[in-house]
Amino acid sequence: MDEANRVREKLTLVARKGCFGLPTACPSCLPVYIYLRLANVPFDIEFNLINPQADEIPYVESGDYVAYNNEKGGVIEALKEDGMVDLDSEISMVSEWISTKAMICSWLSAAVTYELWLGSDGSSAHKIYYSDLPWPVGKLLYLKQMVVAKQVLGITNENAERKSEEIYRNATFAYKALSARLGEQSFFFENRPTSLDAIFLGHALFTLQALPLESLVTADQHAAVNMLIRGEYVPRPWPCLGEAVGMFLSSCRLQLLCWICKKAEERSNHHLLHNELESSVLRSKLAEHNNLLRYADSKAHLLVAGSPFPSVPSSHSDPSSSASRQGPSNRSNFNDSGLELAKDRKILSGSKPKTKPKREKTQEERTFKRRSKYFLLTQLVGVLVFLSLLGGSEDTEDYDS
Amino acid sequence: MAVPEEESPIHKPPIVPGRDKEPAVNGAADEEEEEDDDDVLADDEEEEEEEEEEEEEQPVTQESTMRSTRARMESLFRRLSTERVPLRVHDVIVKGNTKTKDSVIEAEIEGLKHIGTVQELLQAATVANSRLHGLGIFQAVHITLESGPHELPGTANVIVEVVETKSPFSGDFGLYTKPGVRSWILEGSARLKNLFGYGDMWDGSLSYSWDQASEVSAGVSLPRFKRLVTPVMARVTLLSQDWLKFSSYKERSLGLSLGLLSLKNHAVEYNVSWRMLSDPSQMSSRSVRRQLGHGLLSSVKYIFKVDRRNSPLRPTRGYAFVSTSQISGFVPDYRSVRFVRQEFDLRCAFPLGFYNTALNFGISTGVIFPWGSGFLKTPSSLPERFFLGGNSSPVCTLGGPTSLWGFKTRGLGPAEPRREARGNGNDENSGTDFLGGDLAVTAFTDLSFDLPLRVLREAGIHGHTFACAGSLTKLTENAFRNLSFQKVRDSFRTSAGVGIIVPTKLFRMEVNYCYILKQLEHDRGKTGVQFSFSSP
């Protein structure tokens, strides 16, 4: 009766806030989100913005029932044990499944922890965990967490280099093993989703979208540039100006970004994406395996709430979420572009970190330049025509606004 | 003791000749100067008396001198009591301060310089003496008067001689109540007085409160800070409070509080603290779970207090009114905790004229509401809400609506069931969390009377009967839209009872039999014998 009651009350997932195009950007919360989506269980998502280091988050609640992450081996295990959501029936005893899952939960998890807290400038960690806390509190907690991460990974000043190599070596092995296991299948085991898929997808999507970028533009802006390459960019008009003028200015802004990207590339003598490689070694290692990237890309629609699984991704809709605080849910329009970003890194899959090869201009860059020029020209012509035809009426609109 | 003697200097015995400085008067001796020279010492009557006793043993000729001096003194006192004797202070000389800065002493004796008569001088000397004693850094304070320079008739010099405390270190242990803490506390503290000579008082203390709060704090207070005329206080506090049993959370906070203004009726303080709420038991209810985490509190509090009751422990006459206003969120950072909180307390006591009976009325109200964007949907901060119940007596406590006879600590108000108990064999009911309320109202009436036995009367033990009512409601998250007068009226819990009050040196204890007249579901009110403790 209790279980039936539980099932009847809708689940609520309390997780850390979303950003970088992810519904929840915390590496321990995202697998739970994806697990519930894979199971097609309707749930609400709420954000906890004030408890960045609590190991009980994420948790799932349904009425008075709560499954915390620091009990029973995690939220997913607790939900299985309590009969709430179980995708692993009959597979959970298969030894290969268990060992693969353990490999993801240990080696890949350690690699993400290292990159998030120690192997980068910490901007991603700050945005995910501390951007909604007052500055002094956030700063102190961040410093404390860096120390904790070092302790968890067993890193000291003496063994830092060795530990870093060991972590990345383990990650490389793990990706190779997973790539071999996946092959061309849709899922890792028995061609159906299990919690292993949820955990790997959470890891992969986080690695591809949230690990820090050391570039002159943000991830969202870079994703916009990529959409421009694909010809999918739709500039947003600035409502305070006439529509045509607004769109023109918006496209000019994008062109400026492209120019900045190009100049940065020329100045530093690498490709801009290669800069990202220096700050996200893990991403480059993942990018070496096309089937893993394809697999992550094919499941990216899970990040959009409201679209059931499995199905064709529906149009973007707001999630039925109620934030416990005024938490900015940074659901950009460029959700899928992050994965395109990963595809673009195919070019660099063979590159090693911390080397600076001279790179030749690719076909894609030439196409990008040509298209951007045409686009700019078209916009300019369109604006001129509009202005000349309508004349003073557009000026009046401007004055009114 | 020096202070009480100063209050009636006119009635002191005459000064023994030889102790006074002889006036260097010219031929046209100014009677007033001589009388000024014979002015009474502001204190040290004991020394005078000792000398008088010694001198009584001397030959008879001295006796006659004494008699004449006494006659002169009596005529001086008659003059002082009947007419204004003009006098000006020429100079104030400070002696005896080796460590204390002159400016600290001079600030306290400022009133001595602006007097016009002898009576005013005596009064100002009394005030200055008590203020210097009030600094807490002097062992003894002597204020003496002597004649001014010869060329300036009608003037006097005031000599302030202080004896600094030998040991700047002192320790304390006792039971106190502090403003802001809701129940009485056991405290051990160590003090360093006058470390830098500015009258500064440094103290460190460890305290434990009866609502499971422990606190480590260190503070400094200055009688003067630059241009501020009132004492300034700064305190760093690390507080840990355990509410697991009542509301399933623990609170830890590290804070700095600054007392900016401290007058008789007004006080302003600023507080900034980093607060962390956690739940080690992981059994909290939904509303508490949403509030667990870190927060930064930056608030300004203004307290207006008028207390005209004749006694805070057993008021039989007078009234008291306290208003506490607090605004939090005084930093540009929108992510800090933001709320407005207001409390009112009113107490009245009327004597009934027989058996020392008195009727006490009291009413306390409090409201808290968040502000900032989305404030209608935001819940109020859990530790700042109002909670009713506990073991303190509403007659004595003036800290807002907190007490209600018959109900346990945090024993009434909005409640939520806790997390479902884990395991099949466990008890299904894992309890409820009391969440407090945004609007609190309490009212009481208390009739106190002496007991028939003289022994008890002499010990101060008396009896009382009482009746009280209290209500706690939620306003936030749009709950105020569903509020109506009828609902608020129905939400009042009531109790009545009779008891005996035993005042001791440390605290005031009540042994009451309470009968719960009305309580709602989930409330923890219990009919029976209950103990209440309070200290003024």
Side-chain angles (χ1 to χ4, degrees), chain B residues 177-198:
Chain B
T177 50
K178 273 191 201 164
V181 177
R182 290 177 185 175
S183 72
W184 52 305
I185 56 176
L186 205 64
E187 182 183 285
S189 65
R191 281 196 193 91
L192 271 176
K193 300 180 192 180
N194 209 15
L195 199 62
F196 297 107
Y198 289 98

Side-chain angles (χ1 to χ4, degrees), chain B residues 182-184 309 312-313 315 345 347 360 364 389-400 402-406 444 446 462 464 466 501 508-512 530-535:
Chain B
R182 290 177 185 175
S183 72
W184 52 305
R309 298 175 298 174
L313 281 180
D345 279 278
R347 302 277 185 274
N360 269 279
S364 302
N391 289 345
S392 59
S393 167
V395 177
C396 303
T397 45
L398 273 179
T402 52
S403 325
L404 213 61
W405 284 293
F444 74 88
D446 177 276
H462 54 281
H464 73 143
F466 55 86
I501 297 162
R508 175 185 188 269
M509 183 174 77
E510 292 181 13
V511 183
N512 300 320
Q530 185 206 30
F531 289 86
S532 284
F533 300 94
S534 46
S535 61

Side-chain angles (χ1 to χ4, degrees), chain A residues 2 6 12 14 46 48 50-53 55-56 59 61-68 70-72 126 130-137 140-141 322 324-326 328, chain B residues 273-279 281-286 289-296 333-337 373-374 377-379 417-424 428:
Chain A
D2 284 339
R6 281 181 209 155
T12 302
V14 177
E46 288 187 19
N48 181 300
I50 56 172
N51 213 354
Q53 255 52 67
D55 54 359
E56 60 257 26
Y59 58 88
E61 53 184 36
S62 171
D64 291 341
Y65 166 83
V66 184
Y68 285 112
N70 58 356
E71 293 172 348
K72 296 184 181 175
H126 188 269
Y130 306 112
S131 55
D132 288 286
L133 284 173
W135 175 81
V137 174
L140 288 168
L141 288 176
S322 54
S324 57
R325 277 269 200 109
Q326 191 192 12
Chain B
S273 61
W274 173 3
R275 196 172 56 204
M276 162 72 179
L277 303 182
S278 65
D279 175 22
S281 69
Q282 294 191 184
M283 291 296 293
S284 52
S285 57
R286 188 185 175 280
R289 276 200 296 271
R290 294 291 183 273
Q291 300 245 2
L292 299 177
H294 297 265
L296 186 73
D333 199 329
Y334 69 93
R335 300 166 289 194
S336 62
V337 178
S373 55
K377 293 180 217 152
T378 319
R418 285 183 184 152
R419 177 192 179 193
E420 198 176 276
R422 287 164 281 183
N424 295 328
E428 291 271 340

Side-chain angles (χ1 to χ4, degrees), chain B residues 298-415:
Chain B
S298 167
S299 66
V300 173
K301 193 191 273 194
Y302 166 66
I303 303 167
F304 171 71
K305 182 172 176 175
V306 172
D307 192 351
R308 299 268 161 83
R309 298 175 298 174
N310 58 343
S311 158
L313 281 180
R314 188 185 174 180
T316 54
R317 182 191 308 272
Y319 67 93
F321 175 73
V322 180
S323 159
T324 308
S325 314
Q326 186 179 8
I327 304 181
S328 174
F330 255 98
V331 284
D333 199 329
Y334 69 93
R335 300 166 289 194
S336 62
V337 178
R338 292 179 154 182
F339 61 85
V340 175
R341 196 172 192 266
Q342 176 65 50
E343 289 174 14
F344 289 111
D345 279 278
L346 180 66
R347 302 277 185 274
C348 302
F350 304 100
L352 296 179
F354 54 92
Y355 285 125
N356 208 9
T357 312
L359 194 60
N360 269 279
F361 288 112
I363 182 163
S364 302
T365 61
V367 66
I368 179 172
F369 212 81
W371 64 276
S373 55
F375 69 100
L376 287 174
K377 293 180 217 152
T378 319
S380 52
S381 171
L382 181 59
E384 306 300 327
R385 292 180 194 168
F386 296 97
F387 294 90
L388 294 185
N391 289 345
S392 59
S393 167
V395 177
C396 303
T397 45
L398 273 179
T402 52
S403 325
L404 213 61
W405 284 293
F407 289 86
K408 296 192 178 155
T409 306
R410 294 197 169 193
L412 65 105

Side-chain angles (χ1 to χ4, degrees), chain B residues 161-345:
Chain B
E161 194 172 342
V162 297
V163 178
E164 290 170 339
T165 49
K166 289 193 181 52
S167 165
F169 178 80
S170 71
D172 259 321
F173 183 81
L175 285 163
Y176 301 94
T177 50
K178 273 191 201 164
V181 177
R182 290 177 185 175
S183 72
W184 52 305
I185 56 176
L186 205 64
E187 182 183 285
S189 65
R191 281 196 193 91
L192 271 176
K193 300 180 192 180
N194 209 15
L195 199 62
F196 297 107
Y198 289 98
D200 45 305
M201 298 274 267
W202 300 82
D203 73 288
S205 70
L206 280 168
S207 52
Y208 181 77
S209 149
W210 287 96
D211 52 6
Q212 287 90 40
S214 58
E215 186 186 274
V216 178
S217 66
V220 60
S221 72
L222 283 171
R224 289 266 184 280
F225 183 68
K226 299 205 174 167
R227 290 185 187 235
L228 289 172
V229 294
T230 63
V232 167
M233 178 268 304
R235 188 158 210 91
V236 173
T237 308
L238 178 63
L239 171 76
S240 170
Q241 207 152 5
D242 185 344
W243 295 113
L244 278 173
K245 202 168 130 198
F246 310 102
S247 304
S248 296
Y249 74 90
K250 267 182 143 173
E251 179 187 345
R252 292 187 82 168
S253 78
L254 174 66
L256 168 71
S257 62
L258 299 173
L260 301 171
L261 187 75
S262 174
L263 296 172
K264 190 177 163 205
N265 296 124
H266 307 271
V268 176
E269 62 181 55
Y270 170 74
N271 181 283
V272 59
S273 61
W274 173 3
R275 196 172 56 204
M276 162 72 179
L277 303 182
S278 65
D279 175 22
S281 69
Q282 294 191 184
M283 291 296 293
S284 52
S285 57
R286 188 185 175 280
S287 300
V288 176
R289 276 200 296 271
R290 294 291 183 273
Q291 300 245 2
L292 299 177
H294 297 265
L296 186 73
L297 201 82
S298 167
S299 66
V300 173
K301 193 191 273 194
Y302 166 66
I303 303 167
F304 171 71
K305 182 172 176 175
V306 172
D307 192 351
R308 299 268 161 83
R309 298 175 298 174
N310 58 343
S311 158
L313 281 180
R314 188 185 174 180
T316 54
R317 182 191 308 272
Y319 67 93
F321 175 73
V322 180
S323 159
T324 308
S325 314
Q326 186 179 8
I327 304 181
S328 174
F330 255 98
V331 284
D333 199 329
Y334 69 93
R335 300 166 289 194
S336 62
V337 178
R338 292 179 154 182
F339 61 85
V340 175
R341 196 172 192 266
Q342 176 65 50
E343 289 174 14
F344 289 111
D345 279 278

